[in-house]
Amino acid sequence: MRSLIITTMIISIIFNSHCAVAKGQIVNWTKSENLVIANIDWCLNHSPSNTECPSNIRKKNPETPRVTESDTVQVAISGFNFVNYELEVSIAETKIESYVYLNSLWNQLLGGVSLDLIADFVATRSRDRDGEEAPEPLLEWWKKLDETSVDLANLGRAYSGQSYLSESDLQFLVDSLPDIYGQDGKSGWVGELNSLRLTARESLKRSRMIKNFEAIDNLHQQLIAQLNSYALLVNKSSKGYVTSIKKKDAGTLVDVVLNATSLPNGSKAETTSFSYLSESKFPLTFHAGFTVSQLKDSEFQALRSANGQDIFAQIKDEDTTQSLAVFLSHPFGRKVGGKHNYYATLGTDIDDLGENIYVGLTRRVSENWLFSVGAAYGKQTVGEQPAEGSPSTNIFEIIKEEREAELFLSVSYQLF
């Protein structure tokens, strides 16, 4: 599994798919001290024609910055239609065990809105049980509630078929707010409905239609709540939405998926995704590659001799060990062209963490390729006391493990 993860990461990086720009989508990154912000313009990513999107992300930085275990990540979404869609943010974490292991060594070394009124207006239109005519103010109040609910539904359906909002879409929604609250916050639909409610309440002094009033008042309260919700969602769409991702341990690969869900039917719409690695607080470079060492690669198979004693046949005897290894390297010296050329290196094999440890120096040979040399510390299995009377020299009575230090060489590719 570890080999698969790292190999997949290497392939992804070679084809430039390890960045936050996934499937042509744009994530703009900014970083200040221990805060990293992933800015996502939903309109820019999902509109068929993004020329009207209210975005300046195109001119900014799509490269993922170095996110460390000390950093909090915020996801800032703009251009999203919160009036008609719900945004679900899901986060998946994958521990890269080799990174965690090597980082621990370095630490040791370095110390909705619903737009439909639920109640039935028809039930409140007519007369009460004793046949009394409903007062005119009560009917006017109900009539205005009915008209306003239809107007609100029309506003809500304006962009119900798209999860993104262009600049003109946003302007339309913002321009609808004065209809709800008026220019001074006291008139508009809300102010007019509250005024009609008060007048209707006064009219009940000459009427016994309390039940009718209570039924209409229930609709009134629902509609006022929906108007307020609509205004909140318009402001949320206009100002954007920010969610935070807590600090993650070093060596954690974080995959973030944002799903838009249609509020009327709950169906999934567009998706935006990106990923990043939570790196060490130390300025360590993570690279992986093909490694050759002079550690002997030996294997033995247990056999049973004629007298019942176990003996061991050597079935593999290679003078070198070849493996896929990962490294965390600490830079030293001055930067050249924005990157260091020399590093102190710690590494281990991906398949057997800690079985072989590589300690040495690394030299950058190109933008992302590095060459490492140093000592490989690992266990070697050797046979002792050749079995008496055996026709083969590869049969031993005893095998033992010895930890040796031998030369290693590696060519690797920088992952992070």
Side-chain angles (χ1 to χ4, degrees), residues 56 77 82 135 175 203 231 260 279 286 288 297-298 302-303 305 309 316 362 396:
N56 57 358
I77 300 98
F82 284 101
D175 289 345
S203 73
E279 301 184 47
F286 189 44
D297 188 4
S298 302
L303 305 173
S305 63
Q309 181 182 357
K316 184 178 182 180
T362 293
F396 301 91

PDB file of all heavy atoms in Angstrom, residues 56 77 82 135 175 203 231 260 279 286 288 297-298 302-303 305 309 316 362 396:
ATOM      1  N   ASN A  56     -10.685  37.706  -9.735  1.00  0.00           N
ATOM      2  CA  ASN A  56      -9.342  38.127 -10.146  1.00  0.00           C
ATOM      3  C   ASN A  56      -8.342  37.017  -9.863  1.00  0.00           C
ATOM      4  O   ASN A  56      -7.147  37.226  -9.816  1.00  0.00           O
ATOM      5  CB  ASN A  56      -8.919  39.406  -9.415  1.00  0.00           C
ATOM      6  CG  ASN A  56      -8.953  39.238  -7.902  1.00  0.00           C
ATOM      7  OD1 ASN A  56      -9.323  38.178  -7.402  1.00  0.00           O
ATOM      8  ND2 ASN A  56      -8.602  40.288  -7.179  1.00  0.00           N
ATOM      9  N   ILE A  77     -14.781  30.266  -0.518  1.00  0.00           N
ATOM     10  CA  ILE A  77     -15.541  30.033  -1.746  1.00  0.00           C
ATOM     11  C   ILE A  77     -16.312  31.288  -2.122  1.00  0.00           C
ATOM     12  O   ILE A  77     -17.014  31.872  -1.292  1.00  0.00           O
ATOM     13  CB  ILE A  77     -16.529  28.855  -1.582  1.00  0.00           C
ATOM     14  CG1 ILE A  77     -15.775  27.571  -1.238  1.00  0.00           C
ATOM     15  CG2 ILE A  77     -17.340  28.640  -2.848  1.00  0.00           C
ATOM     16  CD1 ILE A  77     -15.755  27.239   0.216  1.00  0.00           C
ATOM     17  N   PHE A  82     -25.735  30.053  -3.041  1.00  0.00           N
ATOM     18  CA  PHE A  82     -26.219  29.493  -1.781  1.00  0.00           C
ATOM     19  C   PHE A  82     -27.735  29.578  -1.659  1.00  0.00           C
ATOM     20  O   PHE A  82     -28.312  28.934  -0.779  1.00  0.00           O
ATOM     21  CB  PHE A  82     -25.574  30.216  -0.598  1.00  0.00           C
ATOM     22  CG  PHE A  82     -24.151  29.813  -0.345  1.00  0.00           C
ATOM     23  CD1 PHE A  82     -23.109  30.609  -0.767  1.00  0.00           C
ATOM     24  CD2 PHE A  82     -23.855  28.636   0.313  1.00  0.00           C
ATOM     25  CE1 PHE A  82     -21.785  30.238  -0.543  1.00  0.00           C
ATOM     26  CE2 PHE A  82     -22.545  28.247   0.547  1.00  0.00           C
ATOM     27  CZ  PHE A  82     -21.505  29.056   0.118  1.00  0.00           C
ATOM     28  N   PRO A 135     -62.852  40.192   8.581  1.00  0.00           N
ATOM     29  CA  PRO A 135     -62.628  41.632   8.447  1.00  0.00           C
ATOM     30  C   PRO A 135     -61.719  41.930   7.261  1.00  0.00           C
ATOM     31  O   PRO A 135     -60.819  41.150   6.925  1.00  0.00           O
ATOM     32  CB  PRO A 135     -61.951  42.007   9.770  1.00  0.00           C
ATOM     33  CG  PRO A 135     -62.303  40.905  10.713  1.00  0.00           C
ATOM     34  CD  PRO A 135     -62.428  39.670   9.869  1.00  0.00           C
ATOM     35  N   ASP A 175     -29.718  43.331  -5.649  1.00  0.00           N
ATOM     36  CA  ASP A 175     -30.717  44.369  -5.940  1.00  0.00           C
ATOM     37  C   ASP A 175     -32.112  43.973  -5.469  1.00  0.00           C
ATOM     38  O   ASP A 175     -32.998  44.841  -5.364  1.00  0.00           O
ATOM     39  CB  ASP A 175     -30.755  44.657  -7.443  1.00  0.00           C
ATOM     40  CG  ASP A 175     -29.518  45.399  -7.924  1.00  0.00           C
ATOM     41  OD1 ASP A 175     -28.789  45.936  -7.067  1.00  0.00           O
ATOM     42  OD2 ASP A 175     -29.270  45.425  -9.150  1.00  0.00           O
ATOM     43  N   SER A 203     -58.207  44.922  14.111  1.00  0.00           N
ATOM     44  CA  SER A 203     -59.574  44.702  13.625  1.00  0.00           C
ATOM     45  C   SER A 203     -60.302  43.615  14.394  1.00  0.00           C
ATOM     46  O   SER A 203     -61.535  43.529  14.358  1.00  0.00           O
ATOM     47  CB  SER A 203     -59.550  44.348  12.142  1.00  0.00           C
ATOM     48  OG  SER A 203     -59.053  43.038  11.941  1.00  0.00           O
ATOM     49  N   ALA A 231     -32.478  36.522   2.438  1.00  0.00           N
ATOM     50  CA  ALA A 231     -31.533  37.645   2.516  1.00  0.00           C
ATOM     51  C   ALA A 231     -30.171  37.186   3.025  1.00  0.00           C
ATOM     52  O   ALA A 231     -29.129  37.606   2.517  1.00  0.00           O
ATOM     53  CB  ALA A 231     -32.103  38.736   3.423  1.00  0.00           C
ATOM     54  N   ALA A 260     -21.696  20.507  -4.655  1.00  0.00           N
ATOM     55  CA  ALA A 260     -22.891  21.345  -4.688  1.00  0.00           C
ATOM     56  C   ALA A 260     -24.109  20.430  -4.788  1.00  0.00           C
ATOM     57  O   ALA A 260     -24.169  19.546  -5.634  1.00  0.00           O
ATOM     58  CB  ALA A 260     -22.840  22.296  -5.881  1.00  0.00           C
ATOM     59  N   GLU A 279       3.184  19.261   5.774  1.00  0.00           N
ATOM     60  CA  GLU A 279       4.607  18.946   5.849  1.00  0.00           C
ATOM     61  C   GLU A 279       5.179  19.231   7.239  1.00  0.00           C
ATOM     62  O   GLU A 279       4.521  19.819   8.105  1.00  0.00           O
ATOM     63  CB  GLU A 279       5.371  19.743   4.787  1.00  0.00           C
ATOM     64  CG  GLU A 279       4.897  19.454   3.373  1.00  0.00           C
ATOM     65  CD  GLU A 279       5.724  20.172   2.329  1.00  0.00           C
ATOM     66  OE1 GLU A 279       6.968  20.131   2.415  1.00  0.00           O
ATOM     67  OE2 GLU A 279       5.128  20.794   1.430  1.00  0.00           O
ATOM     68  N   PHE A 286      10.860  16.454   0.549  1.00  0.00           N
ATOM     69  CA  PHE A 286      10.424  15.060   0.435  1.00  0.00           C
ATOM     70  C   PHE A 286      10.664  14.600  -0.995  1.00  0.00           C
ATOM     71  O   PHE A 286      10.138  15.173  -1.950  1.00  0.00           O
ATOM     72  CB  PHE A 286       8.942  14.981   0.791  1.00  0.00           C
ATOM     73  CG  PHE A 286       8.401  13.583   0.924  1.00  0.00           C
ATOM     74  CD1 PHE A 286       9.101  12.593   1.598  1.00  0.00           C
ATOM     75  CD2 PHE A 286       7.162  13.257   0.390  1.00  0.00           C
ATOM     76  CE1 PHE A 286       8.595  11.317   1.734  1.00  0.00           C
ATOM     77  CE2 PHE A 286       6.637  11.979   0.516  1.00  0.00           C
ATOM     78  CZ  PHE A 286       7.351  11.015   1.193  1.00  0.00           C
ATOM     79  N   ALA A 288      11.595  10.919  -3.615  1.00  0.00           N
ATOM     80  CA  ALA A 288      11.581   9.458  -3.710  1.00  0.00           C
ATOM     81  C   ALA A 288      12.230   9.028  -5.013  1.00  0.00           C
ATOM     82  O   ALA A 288      12.166   9.747  -6.017  1.00  0.00           O
ATOM     83  CB  ALA A 288      10.148   8.933  -3.639  1.00  0.00           C
ATOM     84  N   ASP A 297      21.909  -8.684  -0.564  1.00  0.00           N
ATOM     85  CA  ASP A 297      20.508  -9.091  -0.566  1.00  0.00           C
ATOM     86  C   ASP A 297      20.470 -10.614  -0.601  1.00  0.00           C
ATOM     87  O   ASP A 297      20.644 -11.237  -1.658  1.00  0.00           O
ATOM     88  CB  ASP A 297      19.795  -8.499  -1.783  1.00  0.00           C
ATOM     89  CG  ASP A 297      18.300  -8.720  -1.742  1.00  0.00           C
ATOM     90  OD1 ASP A 297      17.813  -9.255  -0.732  1.00  0.00           O
ATOM     91  OD2 ASP A 297      17.620  -8.359  -2.728  1.00  0.00           O
ATOM     92  N   SER A 298      20.259 -11.202   0.590  1.00  0.00           N
ATOM     93  CA  SER A 298      20.314 -12.664   0.706  1.00  0.00           C
ATOM     94  C   SER A 298      19.004 -13.204   1.259  1.00  0.00           C
ATOM     95  O   SER A 298      18.346 -12.560   2.066  1.00  0.00           O
ATOM     96  CB  SER A 298      21.460 -13.094   1.636  1.00  0.00           C
ATOM     97  OG  SER A 298      22.696 -12.611   1.150  1.00  0.00           O
ATOM     98  N   ALA A 302      14.583 -22.679   5.057  1.00  0.00           N
ATOM     99  CA  ALA A 302      14.839 -23.703   6.070  1.00  0.00           C
ATOM    100  C   ALA A 302      14.558 -25.097   5.503  1.00  0.00           C
ATOM    101  O   ALA A 302      13.543 -25.314   4.829  1.00  0.00           O
ATOM    102  CB  ALA A 302      13.976 -23.458   7.301  1.00  0.00           C
ATOM    103  N   LEU A 303      15.492 -26.036   5.776  1.00  0.00           N
ATOM    104  CA  LEU A 303      15.342 -27.430   5.361  1.00  0.00           C
ATOM    105  C   LEU A 303      15.486 -28.314   6.583  1.00  0.00           C
ATOM    106  O   LEU A 303      15.988 -27.889   7.624  1.00  0.00           O
ATOM    107  CB  LEU A 303      16.402 -27.801   4.316  1.00  0.00           C
ATOM    108  CG  LEU A 303      16.484 -26.918   3.046  1.00  0.00           C
ATOM    109  CD1 LEU A 303      17.697 -27.340   2.231  1.00  0.00           C
ATOM    110  CD2 LEU A 303      15.206 -27.048   2.230  1.00  0.00           C
ATOM    111  N   SER A 305      17.247 -31.763   7.893  1.00  0.00           N
ATOM    112  CA  SER A 305      18.274 -32.755   7.548  1.00  0.00           C
ATOM    113  C   SER A 305      17.806 -34.158   7.930  1.00  0.00           C
ATOM    114  O   SER A 305      16.749 -34.334   8.555  1.00  0.00           O
ATOM    115  CB  SER A 305      19.584 -32.427   8.272  1.00  0.00           C
ATOM    116  OG  SER A 305      19.396 -32.524   9.673  1.00  0.00           O
ATOM    117  N   GLN A 309      17.625 -32.190  12.151  1.00  0.00           N
ATOM    118  CA  GLN A 309      18.114 -30.856  12.488  1.00  0.00           C
ATOM    119  C   GLN A 309      17.829 -29.901  11.319  1.00  0.00           C
ATOM    120  O   GLN A 309      17.958 -30.265  10.156  1.00  0.00           O
ATOM    121  CB  GLN A 309      19.624 -30.903  12.763  1.00  0.00           C
ATOM    122  CG  GLN A 309      20.203 -29.553  13.137  1.00  0.00           C
ATOM    123  CD  GLN A 309      21.710 -29.627  13.346  1.00  0.00           C
ATOM    124  OE1 GLN A 309      22.295 -30.725  13.250  1.00  0.00           O
ATOM    125  NE2 GLN A 309      22.321 -28.496  13.623  1.00  0.00           N
ATOM    126  N   LYS A 316      19.134 -16.951  -2.480  1.00  0.00           N
ATOM    127  CA  LYS A 316      19.396 -15.665  -3.144  1.00  0.00           C
ATOM    128  C   LYS A 316      20.639 -15.060  -2.549  1.00  0.00           C
ATOM    129  O   LYS A 316      20.797 -15.019  -1.329  1.00  0.00           O
ATOM    130  CB  LYS A 316      18.205 -14.714  -2.977  1.00  0.00           C
ATOM    131  CG  LYS A 316      18.353 -13.392  -3.725  1.00  0.00           C
ATOM    132  CD  LYS A 316      17.105 -12.524  -3.548  1.00  0.00           C
ATOM    133  CE  LYS A 316      17.220 -11.236  -4.321  1.00  0.00           C
ATOM    134  NZ  LYS A 316      16.007 -10.375  -4.154  1.00  0.00           N
ATOM    135  N   THR A 362      22.753  15.084  -0.370  1.00  0.00           N
ATOM    136  CA  THR A 362      21.983  15.145  -1.614  1.00  0.00           C
ATOM    137  C   THR A 362      22.346  16.405  -2.374  1.00  0.00           C
ATOM    138  O   THR A 362      22.515  17.479  -1.788  1.00  0.00           O
ATOM    139  CB  THR A 362      20.466  15.134  -1.317  1.00  0.00           C
ATOM    140  OG1 THR A 362      20.114  13.860  -0.770  1.00  0.00           O
ATOM    141  CG2 THR A 362      19.644  15.374  -2.581  1.00  0.00           C
ATOM    142  N   PHE A 396      23.840 -24.203   5.035  1.00  0.00           N
ATOM    143  CA  PHE A 396      24.472 -23.796   6.294  1.00  0.00           C
ATOM    144  C   PHE A 396      23.672 -24.323   7.477  1.00  0.00           C
ATOM    145  O   PHE A 396      22.457 -24.491   7.405  1.00  0.00           O
ATOM    146  CB  PHE A 396      24.545 -22.260   6.378  1.00  0.00           C
ATOM    147  CG  PHE A 396      25.331 -21.637   5.250  1.00  0.00           C
ATOM    148  CD1 PHE A 396      24.692 -21.238   4.077  1.00  0.00           C
ATOM    149  CD2 PHE A 396      26.700 -21.445   5.354  1.00  0.00           C
ATOM    150  CE1 PHE A 396      25.405 -20.648   3.042  1.00  0.00           C
ATOM    151  CE2 PHE A 396      27.422 -20.869   4.321  1.00  0.00           C
ATOM    152  CZ  PHE A 396      26.771 -20.482   3.158  1.00  0.00           C
TER     153      PHE A 396
END
